[in-house]
Amino acid sequence: MDNILKQLPDALLPWFDENKRDLPWRQDKDPYHIWLSEIMLQQTRVEAVKGYYARFLEALPSIEALANCDDDHLHKLWEGLGYYSRIRNLKKAAQVIMGTYGGSFPTEYDHILALPGIGDYTAGAISSIAFDQRKAAVDGNVLRVYSRLMNDATPIDTLQMKSRVRRELEEIYPDRAGDFTQALMELGATLCGPNWAPKCESCPCRSFCRACAAGTMETLPVKSPKRQKRQEDRTVFILECDGSYALCKRPDTGLLASLWQFPDAPGAIEVSSAMDLVEGWGIQVKDVRRQLDKKHIFTHIIWNMRGFYMEVKTKSDKFAWFSAEEIEENAALPTAYRQFWEAMYHD
């Protein structure tokens, strides 16, 4: 084992004790709390998660409450966090925990890994932080720290690299496994972060970091070239009739599954064709108030979205009709569609 990695625990743990951020999910070792926070933090900033985390636990304080929660209420609690497959898998996993483990979170790594929506990273985080097991949680922060410590230009987004880092780290895990996992993450999030120059002068690993010695810190880590995102045009209809707005549910599978949305259609439709389409739904158009173009970027696709705000004379049973208050309280709109709703008040 490389001597550099062997030095990590003694360097990181005292630094973590002195410098760790006061985060709400660090107040205890409840595996439900750690699991929820790790899922919320995927692709999401810490500051954005804090409020969601508190509201979610207030509404659903236990795994049992999560397992029994109505889907619409669950989606509303998650609204704005995006990547909605995360919340669907949270509920599925909670139901497995209730049915298979009697409501107690499993303690064995393989059992945790087998839960819906949990991969190697999350299983490692829960195992180490909640149960102090020597299991590494290798995320982007940890990969960045490793690549700079070792001055390693291997692309960090390959399975081979992640597996190697996980294996090598687990060989040097100390007794304080949970604190060591969090210390690695903390270093990557606060001093050795992305998109800005690393703060090497404050780093507890500066004396043995190879990239610091070679002056290559800002060229690392290396990532594989990104594939160009596919683009789709969509036309969205914000239809208002006597203070009620048309909504419909997305399909049960696929992108944004089971969430509420405004009616839409493929393509960038012009206003006359848009009116004809709405009339074809059995709805009389009174006025086209506004056209607004927006964009929403998913992981692998970009939606170029055109929105038409229409006042209509009649409602159709093809859609559900919600008041503005009901949309705010009960209907979870994914960000792609919510941006048109918010534009009514802010644009």
Side-chain angles (χ1 to χ4, degrees):
M1 169 57 59
D2 195 296
N3 188 52
I4 285 179
L5 293 183
K6 290 180 180 179
Q7 297 179 67
L8 268 177
D10 288 342
L12 276 185
L13 288 172
W15 170 82
F16 181 68
D17 291 338
E18 290 292 324
N19 296 279
K20 63 184 176 184
R21 290 170 294 176
D22 183 17
L23 300 175
W25 43 87
R26 288 179 174 166
Q27 305 307 310
D28 57 57
K29 289 196 170 187
D30 187 321
Y32 174 43
H33 298 168
I34 294 164
W35 170 42
L36 175 63
S37 69
E38 290 298 340
I39 297 299
M40 283 187 166
L41 286 164
Q42 293 171 9
Q43 309 291 333
T44 311
R45 294 179 300 104
V46 166
E47 290 304 316
V49 166
K50 287 180 179 178
Y52 280 97
Y53 177 81
R55 289 190 295 273
F56 195 99
L57 284 181
E58 183 178 3
L60 304 174
S62 66
I63 293 174
E64 181 179 10
L66 171 58
N68 294 326
C69 185
D70 172 77
D71 284 349
D72 280 342
H73 182 47
L74 196 62
H75 290 151
K76 193 64 182 177
L77 289 171
W78 200 264
E79 184 181 37
L81 274 175
Y83 301 93
Y84 283 86
S85 61
R86 295 184 293 174
I87 188 59
R88 291 191 290 272
N89 282 326
L90 268 170
K91 180 176 178 178
K92 290 177 184 176
Q95 291 172 333
V96 171
I97 292 169
M98 294 304 300
T100 304
Y101 301 102
S104 296
F105 205 97
T107 59
E108 292 186 27
Y109 176 86
D110 288 343
H111 293 170
I112 297 172
L113 183 61
L115 293 171
I118 291 186
D120 289 321
Y121 164 75
T122 307
I126 297 169
S127 297
S128 60
I129 299 171
F131 305 119
D132 256 337
Q133 297 172 7
R134 291 181 173 89
K135 293 292 184 180
V138 179
D139 67 351
N141 285 322
V142 174
L143 287 164
R144 187 183 320 108
V145 167
Y146 177 95
S147 70
R148 288 173 174 166
L149 276 174
M150 309 300 287
N151 200 23
D152 189 335
T154 305
I156 62 170
D157 49 3
T158 64
L159 289 176
Q160 293 86 347
M161 179 63 163
K162 292 176 183 177
S163 297
R164 172 158 63 89
V165 173
R166 185 182 306 113
R167 183 179 65 254
E168 292 184 10
L169 286 175
E170 287 178 355
E171 291 180 16
I172 53 94
Y173 250 69
D175 290 338
R176 292 173 57 189
D179 286 343
F180 185 62
T181 288
Q182 293 180 89
L184 280 166
M185 296 176 184
E186 192 81 346
L187 184 66
T190 61
L191 298 185
C192 200
N195 307 319
W196 37 267
K199 301 173 184 177
C200 298
E201 67 281 358
S202 303
C203 180
C205 305
R206 180 178 182 178
S207 64
F208 56 91
C209 175
R210 287 178 176 167
C212 185
T216 56
M217 308 85 68
E218 295 188 48
T219 67
L220 296 169
V222 173
K223 294 183 180 180
S224 303
K226 288 186 177 180
R227 288 185 295 178
Q228 191 170 6
K229 296 179 188 288
R230 179 166 54 91
Q231 301 208 24
E232 287 185 2
D233 294 333
R234 304 193 71 79
T235 300
V236 180
F237 300 87
I238 301 88
L239 308 177
E240 180 187 359
C241 183
D242 297 328
S244 295
Y245 298 85
L247 295 181
C248 56
K249 275 283 185 79
R250 291 186 61 80
D252 293 336
T253 58
L255 190 62
L256 306 177
S258 301
L259 297 175
W260 288 105
Q261 66 161 77
F262 294 113
D264 68 356
I269 302 174
E270 298 300 327
V271 62
S272 59
S273 298
M275 293 176 66
D276 290 342
L277 181 59
V278 174
E279 297 276 357
W281 291 337
I283 298 173
Q284 284 186 280
V285 177
K286 181 178 180 181
D287 184 33
V288 179
R289 294 174 172 172
R290 185 185 184 191
Q291 175 183 327
L292 183 64
D293 291 337
K294 293 280 189 179
K295 185 187 296 285
H296 188 75
I297 302 174
F298 295 97
T299 305
H300 302 297
I301 189 172
I302 296 174
W303 278 1
N304 301 307
M305 306 177 77
R306 170 170 295 170
F308 287 108
Y309 295 78
M310 297 183 180
E311 183 181 3
V312 298
K313 298 178 182 178
T314 55
K315 297 180 180 179
S316 168
D317 292 339
K318 183 179 181 68
F319 306 115
W321 295 81
F322 286 68
S323 67
E325 183 178 1
E326 288 171 332
I327 289 176
E328 290 297 341
E329 292 183 358
N330 302 317
L333 291 173
T335 303
Y337 296 93
R338 172 160 281 276
Q339 61 184 339
F340 289 98
W341 179 249
E342 293 178 347
M344 291 175 58
Y345 305 100
H346 303 301
D347 282 13

